[in-house]
Amino acid sequence: ADGYYEYTMAECVYSTSDYSDMVYLQSYSFNKVVYEQYNSTVGKFVGFTEVGVKYAENFNKDQAILQQLKAEVDTFCRHNAQILDSAVRDKA
């Protein structure tokens, strides 16, 4: 009950069956407040708090991290969406 709660959440958001609008989001939260988020559409980190802005500025200087995260749309999102969607369609 007493303490701190920090977590990272990765999610893939899309609404079309061809995945053309797919977005990869990676959010960082502390005590239920999102302080920083990577958005593949924007292509960089965005800070939402004073600390998050500082973290985002530092992460955005590292092109290797940004390229890796941008690739997650294909390697993580599309890959898993195709598997999950086909599993659902096969059951219908």
Side-chain angles (χ1 to χ4, degrees):
D2 293 335
Y4 301 105
Y5 184 65
E6 185 169 20
Y7 65 97
T8 301
M9 182 172 64
E11 59 186 317
C12 304
V13 180
Y14 62 99
S15 61
T16 60
S17 60
D18 67 353
Y19 313 124
S20 60
D21 64 341
M22 188 164 282
V23 178
Y24 175 73
L25 302 170
Q26 188 168 339
S27 304
Y28 298 83
S29 301
F30 181 77
N31 286 351
K32 300 182 183 179
V33 175
V34 176
Y35 61 87
E36 169 183 36
Q37 182 181 67
Y38 173 82
N39 180 321
S40 65
T41 302
V42 178
K44 65 179 185 175
F45 285 90
V46 176
F48 299 107
T49 66
E50 185 177 341
V51 170
V53 169
K54 292 178 184 178
Y55 282 138
E57 288 172 354
N58 286 331
F59 279 125
N60 288 333
K61 293 176 185 175
D62 190 333
Q63 291 301 311
I65 289 174
L66 295 178
Q67 288 175 354
Q68 178 183 350
L69 289 171
K70 192 159 186 80
E72 293 290 338
V73 172
D74 291 318
T75 59
F76 178 71
C77 292
R78 280 195 183 90
H79 172 74
N80 288 310
Q82 289 168 344
I83 293 168
L84 294 171
D85 287 354
S86 68
V88 170
R89 281 190 214 110
D90 291 346
K91 303 286 187 235

